[in-house]
Amino acid sequence: MDKGLLFQSITKYLLGIIIIGGLLFLPAGSFHYWQGWLLMVILFVPMFIVGLVMMARNPELLRKRLNAKEKEAEQKTVVALSGLLFMAAFVFAGLSWRFGWWVLPGWVSWVAAVLFLASYLLYAEVIRENAYLSRTIEVQENQKVIDTGLYGIVRHPMYSSTTALFLAMPLVLGSLISFLIMLGYIPVIAMRISNEEAVLEEGLEGYEAYRRHVKYKMIPFVW
């Protein structure tokens, strides 16, 4: 086992727990914000499991995802906008719970949690199918077009699953305000896909034919 990769993985994992916990519970002003704990559990437990699987089966992919840095200027903008949306959504979720702003019924949080976990399973399947799945927009050495499984249905199943995950989060947190904020992620991911496809068409052999064959980007029969 690569001890350096293990240390880096654990460090970033714990840092993520601290940051997201702070963004949720500090605005809430209390650790009694149960929807915040629910999100922390369904977010970080599967993340830990996926990390262990990647460490054992594909440590190189894990390393790429941990060390990913965008090179495209447009993608740097997308990453920055996404980060701002997440911060705002988490902070307003805590504030909504604290001050009673448009708080959703408890059952919504549990239904959204189930949808979140289902989307996480979809995300894990995408990782299993695509060994070239980097967090950055790039064409890797010896990369080939993946056109089987979920990639035979839509061209960007990773974005389908992550968008579902991200839209479920504010519902798990019980905040309508946060959900409205996270709707802003839809045009952001559309921008990312547009740029990614331009990069892949230019640098990845066979991608143009794949794009003609698989017509939908994220949602079958819709878009």
Side-chain angles (χ1 to χ4, degrees), residues 7 9 22 27 62 64 74 77 83 91-92 116 118 120 153 155 164 180 187 191 201 208 219:
F7 177 78
S9 301
L62 178 59
K64 287 178 182 178
E74 188 171 343
T77 301
V91 168
F92 272 95
F116 181 93
Y120 216 117
I153 302 173
R155 299 199 296 272
L180 295 175
M191 184 192 309
E201 279 196 10
E208 186 175 352
I219 307 173

Side-chain angles (χ1 to χ4, degrees), residues 137-155:
I137 304 304
E138 61 181 353
V139 177
Q140 302 174 43
E141 185 178 357
N142 299 320
Q143 182 171 346
K144 298 178 181 179
V145 173
I146 305 297
D147 59 1
T148 57
L150 296 171
Y151 284 89
I153 302 173
V154 293
R155 299 199 296 272

Side-chain angles (χ1 to χ4, degrees), residues 181-193:
I181 291 172
M182 282 305 298
L183 288 177
Y185 183 74
I186 295 175
V188 170
I189 201 62
M191 184 192 309
R192 182 177 178 89
I193 288 174

Side-chain angles (χ1 to χ4, degrees):
M1 180 178 291
D2 188 330
K3 293 183 179 179
L5 180 60
L6 178 61
F7 177 78
Q8 183 183 15
S9 301
I10 292 174
T11 300
K12 289 197 171 185
Y13 179 78
L14 294 177
L15 185 61
I17 291 176
I18 293 170
I19 291 173
I20 293 181
L23 289 172
L24 289 173
F25 295 110
L26 287 177
S30 172
F31 286 114
H32 294 294
Y33 179 26
W34 68 267
Q35 292 98 326
W37 287 114
L38 176 60
L39 179 65
M40 295 285 284
V41 170
I42 64 174
L43 176 60
F44 287 104
V45 171
M47 186 184 297
F48 183 78
I49 295 170
V50 170
L52 288 178
V53 173
M54 291 177 69
M55 177 74 71
R57 296 188 178 182
N58 198 339
E60 189 57 35
L61 177 58
L62 178 59
R63 182 178 289 105
K64 287 178 182 178
R65 295 186 66 79
L66 288 174
N67 297 318
K69 291 184 180 180
E70 291 290 356
K71 300 176 183 178
E72 298 279 328
E74 188 171 343
Q75 295 305 326
K76 292 180 181 178
T77 301
V78 167
V79 171
L81 289 173
S82 300
L84 289 174
L85 284 171
F86 274 96
M87 289 179 63
F90 289 145
V91 168
F92 272 95
L95 291 174
S96 297
W97 183 84
R98 186 174 188 172
F99 297 110
W101 298 338
W102 293 2
V103 176
L104 297 170
W107 65 264
V108 173
S109 296
W110 292 108
V111 171
V114 173
L115 294 175
F116 181 93
L117 291 173
S119 301
Y120 216 117
L121 288 174
L122 187 65
Y123 175 75
E125 175 61 17
V126 174
I127 291 178
R128 188 194 67 80
E129 290 181 354
N130 190 354
Y132 303 103
L133 196 61
S134 173
R135 289 178 61 191
T136 61
I137 304 304
E138 61 181 353
V139 177
Q140 302 174 43
E141 185 178 357
N142 299 320
Q143 182 171 346
K144 298 178 181 179
V145 173
I146 305 297
D147 59 1
T148 57
L150 296 171
Y151 284 89
I153 302 173
V154 293
R155 299 199 296 272
H156 302 280
M158 183 186 73
Y159 296 141
S160 301
S161 59
T162 55
T163 300
L165 283 168
F166 297 159
L167 292 179
M169 283 184 185
L171 299 179
V172 172
L173 294 171
S175 173
L176 181 57
I177 295 175
S178 295
F179 179 75
L180 295 175
I181 291 172
M182 282 305 298
L183 288 177
Y185 183 74
I186 295 175
V188 170
I189 201 62
M191 184 192 309
R192 182 177 178 89
I193 288 174
S194 178
N195 177 248
E196 178 172 338
E197 294 208 323
V199 172
L200 292 175
E201 279 196 10
E202 181 179 347
L204 181 58
E205 182 179 355
Y207 190 80
E208 186 175 352
Y210 168 69
R211 184 177 180 180
R212 290 196 301 268
H213 176 66
V214 180
K215 301 183 183 299
Y216 301 102
K217 298 179 180 180
M218 287 178 54
I219 307 173
F221 308 109
V222 178
W223 183 67

